[in-house]
Amino acid sequence: MRGLRKYLTPFAPDQSGAVSVLYEFGGIIVICDAGGCTGNICGFDEPRWFESKSALFSAGLRDMDAILGRDDRLVAKLADAVTKLDAKFAAIIGTPVPAVIGTDYHALKRMTEKKVDLPILTVDTDGMELYDKGEEKAWMELFRVFVGEKEDVTANRIGILGMTPQDISDLRAADRIRERFAAEGKTAVCYGMGNGLDDVKKASSVEKNIVAAPAALEAAKYLERTYGTPYEIGYPLVDELVRDMDYQGKKVLVVQQQVTGNAIREEILKKAPDAQVTVASWFMMKPELRRDEDLHLRDEEDYIKLVETGSYDVIYADPCMARMTPKFEGVFVDTVHFAVSGKLVTVEAAKDSKELKEPGKLKESKKTREVKEPGKQGGHDHCDYDRMNPMGEVYE
């Protein structure tokens, strides 16, 4: 049955992706909803909510506010919030409610700018798309609004686009990327994960951009088109994800977001040029990054049939997907993807995942199975944020 889910939880919607992009930039983020969408974002889709602060609000729309399209009420609430918070900008994120009533975001932006002395961003998400579509819109809006005149290029300054927990699944990855580039005498600017709005304003000064997620590709094209900044596609920490094993003549399936999947494929082909590597994803597959053999997965049945008929020797995928194909007899390599399972990975968890898993089984170490109470400081040390089961129990 198309759309039936027996193993995977629903994926985060586009408004969650938009919030993920803007989360660390010091703005007031307003979710244009009655409260439910904001609760889902804070409780399930944004892991940083439990360890860092962000001015994230619900518009608190009542039935009649939505039906009558009372945008003035939203503007008044936002103007009041600005007087109480030290914010650098305000962002209004769409949900199904404004989509249904046909909210004019351009008009809403103009109304708000007359009352609020801050840059205003509007992202017309509608809750009908997945997180990456919302990220794509938010990245574009962010750079359009804040990158001004072209600045002189700073040698060895590298921009990293697409760094969000949904795509990278590792809250410490940006720190390791900066350390790795620093060892080479370069400066890595990981927009949205440790590098703030001031760095966004100087985006035209970077030597080049590295696109770490397909959702950031359009923003990279915009920066190249507008400021002449070249870009390349890849994930700087891909070597941490690829298992050291014999790939000669092997058939490999990689299920991840497209850029990470392609990066894993390139690493495998360096080790074994005769390997056959297919990249598949539940999310966007950009045509310019896609090979003929690559696949877009619509539902669980697509993945199950692919594994059952594909004769793969190795599968790279999120651990939660191993139980979907218990008869798989090859090697299953844990490649955590937060957007799929709601789990995060760190260096410690990555080291644990180097151990080979028996086909069809999820043999996790004690460290990777440890689950802390939601909201507890330090709660992301061991792949513990669990959107699949927010009550803190290990889900099997």
Side-chain angles (χ1 to χ4, degrees):
M1 182 185 297
R2 283 293 178 187
L4 176 65
R5 295 208 176 189
K6 297 185 292 183
Y7 304 99
L8 300 177
T9 57
F11 300 142
D14 50 4
Q15 65 260 19
S16 296
V19 171
S20 188
V21 168
L22 302 175
Y23 190 84
E24 292 189 15
F25 288 117
I28 295 175
I29 304 173
V30 180
I31 313 300
C32 199
D33 72 333
C37 295
T38 304
N40 285 336
I41 292 169
C42 297
F44 300 97
D45 298 334
E46 181 45 72
R48 289 170 292 185
W49 182 255
F50 295 105
E51 62 176 32
S52 62
K53 294 180 180 180
S54 184
L56 183 60
F57 294 92
S58 167
L61 296 176
R62 297 184 178 183
D63 291 347
M64 293 308 296
D65 293 335
I67 292 169
L68 299 176
R70 294 171 175 167
D71 294 336
D72 57 319
R73 301 285 182 89
L74 172 60
V75 173
K77 290 180 180 180
L78 183 52
D80 181 60
V82 167
T83 64
K84 300 174 182 177
L85 296 171
D86 182 18
K88 299 176 181 178
F89 65 91
I92 301 173
I93 311 297
T95 68
V97 173
V100 168
I101 65 175
T103 295
D104 184 338
Y105 285 94
H106 293 293
L108 183 57
K109 180 174 182 174
R110 290 195 298 269
M111 288 176 58
T112 309
E113 287 174 338
K114 292 179 181 179
K115 298 289 185 179
V116 178
D117 188 23
L118 286 176
I120 306 298
L121 285 66
T122 56
V123 184
D124 62 342
T125 46
D126 58 13
M128 298 294 108
E129 303 283 354
L130 295 180
Y131 81 93
D132 47 1
K133 292 292 186 181
E135 286 187 351
E136 187 173 65
K137 292 179 178 180
W139 284 121
M140 286 295 292
E141 182 73 359
L142 182 72
F143 288 110
R144 278 199 196 111
V145 171
F146 289 111
V147 185
E149 297 296 323
K150 168 68 175 174
E151 296 189 8
D152 293 335
V153 173
T154 303
N156 296 322
R157 184 176 173 85
I158 311 298
I160 313 294
L161 296 169
M163 297 290 291
T164 68
Q166 293 281 358
D167 279 314
I168 304 304
S169 312
D170 185 347
L171 296 184
R172 310 296 174 243
D175 293 333
R176 300 202 302 283
I177 288 174
R178 281 186 283 266
E179 290 171 1
R180 183 170 297 193
F181 277 87
E184 300 174 0
K186 300 178 181 179
T187 301
V189 181
C190 298
Y191 300 109
M193 290 193 81
N195 290 98
L197 199 59
D198 290 339
D199 291 306
V200 171
K201 294 176 181 178
K202 298 177 182 178
S204 63
S205 69
V206 300
E207 191 173 73
K208 68 175 179 180
N209 285 314
I210 297 177
V211 180
L217 181 58
E218 292 304 314
K221 290 180 179 179
Y222 167 78
L223 292 171
E224 182 183 53
R225 187 170 60 249
T226 308
Y227 302 102
T229 308
Y231 68 88
E232 60 184 50
I233 312 295
Y235 181 48
L237 302 179
V238 65
D239 57 296
E240 295 180 0
L241 304 179
V242 178
R243 179 73 55 78
D244 186 12
M245 57 183 290
D246 180 17
Y247 295 99
Q248 297 293 335
K250 298 292 178 63
K251 197 172 182 182
V252 183
L253 174 64
V254 182
V255 185
Q256 251 284 345
Q257 54 101 329
Q258 192 180 20
V259 170
T260 299
N262 285 352
I264 291 173
R265 170 164 53 199
E266 291 172 6
E267 287 294 307
I268 291 174
L269 292 178
K270 289 177 184 177
K271 298 173 181 289
D274 63 342
Q276 301 177 51
V277 187
T278 298
V279 173
S281 182
W282 303 103
F283 309 101
M284 62 170 57
M285 295 287 285
K286 293 291 185 179
E288 57 266 55
L289 306 180
R290 186 173 183 171
R291 295 189 180 181
D292 292 340
E293 65 270 23
D294 293 347
L295 301 165
H296 178 259
L297 303 173
R298 291 194 302 167
D299 51 38
E300 293 179 354
E301 192 65 23
D302 288 344
Y303 173 74
I304 293 171
K305 286 184 177 180
L306 179 63
V307 175
E308 290 178 348
T309 61
S311 301
Y312 293 104
D313 301 296
V314 182
I315 294 178
Y316 278 78
D318 190 278
C320 77
M321 294 171 58
R323 64 196 184 105
M324 296 171 66
T325 52
K327 296 181 180 180
F328 174 63
E329 297 180 351
V331 177
F332 190 96
V333 182
D334 289 356
T335 313
V336 176
H337 191 186
F338 182 82
V340 173
S341 65
K343 288 184 177 291
L344 293 165
V345 67
T346 63
V347 174
E348 290 81 6
K351 289 178 180 177
D352 289 338
S353 73
K354 292 293 183 182
E355 300 174 5
L356 290 176
K357 299 290 185 298
E358 295 181 11
K361 294 184 180 180
L362 283 174
K363 295 182 66 178
E364 299 177 359
S365 71
K366 180 178 180 181
K367 181 176 288 185
T368 58
R369 287 170 59 94
E370 183 180 352
V371 179
K372 296 184 177 64
E373 297 176 3
K376 189 173 181 179
Q377 289 296 321
H380 295 295
D381 290 339
H382 305 121
C383 190
D384 59 350
Y385 183 81
D386 195 348
R387 179 162 52 83
M388 299 181 72
N389 189 351
M391 297 308 294
E393 300 174 359
V394 175
Y395 188 93
E396 293 185 300

